[in-house]
Amino acid sequence: MKFDDFNFSPPINAAIKQLGFQTPTPIQEAVIPLIQSGESVVGQSQTGSGKSHAFLLPLIDQLVDKADTQLVITAPSRELAEQLYHTASDIIAAFDWEIHIERAYGGIDSQAQEAKLQTAVPQIVIGTPGRLLALAERRLIDLYHVGHFVVDEADMTLDMGFLGTVDQIAGQMPDDLKMYVFSATVPDKLKPFLNKYMAHPQWVVIDAGNQISENVENILIPVRGRDRKALLYDVLTIGQPYLAIIFANTKETVDELYTYLHDQGLSVAKIHGDLSARERKRVMRQINHLDFQYVVASDLASRGLDIDGVSDVINYEIPNEIEFFIHRVGRTGRRGLSGRSITLYHPDEWPAVEYLMDKGLTFEIKDIRNGQWVKAQDPNARQNRKKQHKDAEDPKIRAMINQNKKKKVKPGYKKKLQENIKSYKQKQRRQKHRHR
């Protein structure tokens, strides 16, 4: 399929050409026709899959030259909202009539914004839920004529406690509203919201296992008895990466790593949720200007980091959810460039690595010796020698094996037994991973 097959208007086609797009991604190929046909959509897709353009292109194409707010988009963080704003701005630049986009997130001069909104009605409003609702409550924007409402990164919106605010925003919109919800996952707590506003949505699910670029080299490096921060320093200073992002699981660890790496003389910045909007904007501007070679970030920041030229992603710790791993690694290997993902792990964390492998991710195990990358032994080789003994110690697996010894079993039972044992062990690893 090509973008020409969507029969976009000339301005949208001009924007696509200017952006250099050749063929639609799977999420674009699935979602664009649904939006064009007037369907509400729930799209499940990872960061880096092209979902922003999957809804922005057809929705902007449906705007009319009228002084009404027609399209509203919410994102759970300022970085994500700003990213959407710039993406939408690139698209509307091809139109021969003026489309006004209003930003509703931190870092905007509120007095200047209020003065502008009193004289000009935006066709598009993009923002975080709290700021957007505040503008509506102050009657600076009118949601009654909105025809299309996008909730981007809905699971993250839920996790950050903003879904109630999104509910209030949607409650001010007309009954015939078309809603589009995009999320990496669709947890059960999100479904009541979907059922309230979306009677018969079209579901589009893009397999997460295919969302890591083939251009990314996935490396595991064992910590063993070494100091993890010292090992991180060694990883970062081999080969001098163009730009490396180091991900940690908590804001406290981000601060700790930032201080450590700064004290080692590295050019490093940090990004996490406790930074003020002004500080985040300043740091992101410096990062994009290549003022830093290294960036330490938290998981909640990972979806909002749209930085060109990231050569390396370092998982200082294994994330608690596979979705975060996908978001992290998705920062590199973009736009056809090669990238590298390096994950530090302790032997105690191997079950978490196996959990990622169960989801279809593959790794090459390496180590650092004398300042050089070398291949390391697969820990499975040692584990497999103990496999039968460990299996026999598990009462449930032992019961499965004993059952297999019974006479008159059905053909193919042994194969079925091995599948049952594998499924049981995978379930054990998932449960152990969730309680880490």
Side-chain angles (χ1 to χ4, degrees):
M1 175 174 277
K2 298 181 179 180
F3 279 101
D4 290 342
D5 297 329
F6 297 126
N7 295 316
F8 284 128
S9 66
I12 293 293
N13 285 327
I16 291 170
K17 184 177 181 180
Q18 183 67 30
L19 291 167
F21 291 170
Q22 300 297 323
T23 57
T25 65
I27 187 70
Q28 293 166 359
E29 187 174 332
V31 167
I32 290 173
L34 293 174
I35 293 178
Q36 289 178 324
S37 62
E39 300 283 354
S40 289
V41 176
V42 177
Q44 193 171 334
S45 173
Q46 304 297 332
T47 296
S49 61
K51 65 178 175 58
S52 296
H53 286 96
F55 60 79
L56 283 173
L57 289 171
L59 291 176
I60 290 177
D61 200 27
Q62 295 183 39
L63 296 177
V64 296
D65 190 358
K66 187 178 180 181
D68 284 330
T69 299
Q70 302 162 46
L71 169 61
V72 172
I73 304 171
T74 67
S77 71
R78 179 195 178 281
E79 288 82 9
L80 286 166
E82 188 164 36
Q83 181 179 326
L84 286 168
Y85 168 75
H86 289 299
T87 302
S89 297
D90 289 340
I91 296 172
I92 67 172
F95 280 73
D96 57 6
W97 57 278
E98 186 176 2
I99 300 176
H100 176 200
I101 304 178
E102 189 58 51
R103 294 173 288 173
Y105 47 79
I108 307 298
D109 186 327
S110 58
Q111 290 185 340
Q113 182 180 52
E114 181 173 352
K116 181 174 65 174
L117 288 173
Q118 287 176 344
T119 58
V121 177
Q123 285 85 10
I124 305 172
V125 179
I126 300 174
T128 52
R131 288 298 183 98
L132 206 153
L133 180 61
L135 291 179
E137 290 179 336
R138 293 167 59 195
R139 301 186 181 278
L140 293 174
I141 57 173
D142 182 3
L143 302 179
Y144 185 73
H145 297 289
V146 172
H148 306 278
F149 182 33
V150 179
V151 181
D152 198 16
E153 305 290 3
D155 55 350
M156 188 176 174
T157 301
L158 174 66
D159 290 341
M160 297 179 71
F162 298 150
L163 194 60
T165 306
V166 174
D167 192 353
Q168 290 180 269
I169 293 169
Q172 298 187 34
M173 294 179 178
D175 294 337
D176 59 350
L177 174 75
K178 298 295 181 184
M179 186 179 289
Y180 317 90
V181 175
F182 292 88
S183 189
T185 60
V186 182
D188 289 339
K189 291 183 179 179
L190 184 60
K191 291 178 180 178
F193 174 82
L194 301 180
N195 293 334
K196 181 176 180 180
Y197 291 104
M198 307 177 78
H200 302 289
Q202 296 294 318
W203 285 71
V204 174
V205 180
I206 304 299
D207 183 14
N210 297 325
Q211 295 306 306
I212 291 182
S213 170
E214 294 179 355
N215 299 326
V216 176
E217 180 185 14
N218 247 331
I219 296 173
L220 284 173
I221 180 167
V223 177
R224 296 195 179 96
R226 293 173 287 189
D227 179 86
R228 192 179 287 247
K229 288 198 291 291
L231 177 60
L232 172 66
Y233 177 81
D234 290 340
V235 168
L236 293 176
T237 52
I238 287 181
Q240 293 296 318
Y242 182 76
L243 177 61
I245 301 180
I246 305 100
F247 284 108
N249 290 349
T250 67
K251 292 177 287 187
E252 292 77 15
T253 305
V254 169
D255 287 334
E256 181 183 335
L257 290 178
Y258 168 78
T259 300
Y260 171 78
L261 296 175
H262 184 270
D263 289 346
Q264 300 302 310
L266 299 185
S267 175
V268 60
K270 66 178 178 180
I271 292 286
H272 61 58
D274 279 356
L275 297 182
S276 67
R278 178 173 295 180
E279 180 71 4
R280 287 199 304 271
K281 187 174 183 179
R282 180 187 65 80
V283 172
M284 287 300 299
R285 183 170 60 249
Q286 289 181 292
I287 292 171
N288 283 305
H289 288 168
L290 299 179
D291 292 344
F292 302 104
Q293 189 177 6
Y294 307 96
V295 180
V296 189
S298 64
D299 277 318
L300 286 181
S302 66
R303 299 193 194 182
L305 290 176
D306 187 23
I307 303 170
D308 287 334
V310 176
S311 58
D312 293 74
V313 166
I314 317 297
N315 296 301
Y316 180 74
E317 302 165 301
I318 296 177
N320 294 323
E321 300 290 343
I322 186 174
E323 287 78 18
F324 282 135
F325 190 91
I326 299 294
H327 296 319
R328 292 176 177 186
V329 179
R331 301 307 93 206
T332 189
R334 308 183 83 178
R335 298 176 176 89
L337 300 175
S338 62
R340 184 170 58 175
S341 165
I342 302 170
T343 302
L344 280 59
Y345 77 96
H346 188 272
D348 292 343
E349 297 173 300
W350 186 251
V353 175
E354 288 185 315
Y355 176 81
L356 294 172
M357 290 178 172
D358 288 343
K359 296 296 185 180
L361 301 176
T362 58
F363 299 91
E364 182 179 3
I365 301 173
K366 292 187 177 182
D367 207 340
I368 297 175
R369 293 175 190 164
N370 300 321
Q372 299 291 328
W373 285 106
V374 297
K375 288 187 176 181
Q377 183 182 10
D378 186 344
N380 280 325
R382 182 177 179 183
Q383 289 183 351
N384 287 337
R385 290 195 294 268
K386 300 180 179 181
K387 178 177 181 293
Q388 292 181 344
H389 177 70
K390 289 183 178 180
D391 284 352
E393 290 179 349
D394 189 294
K396 187 164 183 177
I397 294 179
R398 187 167 61 246
M400 293 180 190
I401 295 173
N402 290 337
Q403 180 70 18
N404 189 46
K405 294 178 181 178
K406 291 183 178 182
K407 296 180 180 180
K408 296 181 181 181
V409 296
K410 295 180 180 180
Y413 187 87
K414 289 184 179 180
K415 182 178 179 180
K416 184 66 175 177
L417 168 68
Q418 295 304 318
E419 291 176 352
N420 288 340
I421 291 175
K422 181 180 178 181
S423 177
Y424 168 70
K425 293 175 73 177
Q426 287 178 351
K427 183 177 180 181
Q428 282 186 315
R429 286 197 295 267
R430 288 194 294 267
Q431 289 175 340
K432 183 174 181 179
H433 180 67
R434 291 191 189 103
H435 291 89
R436 285 176 64 240

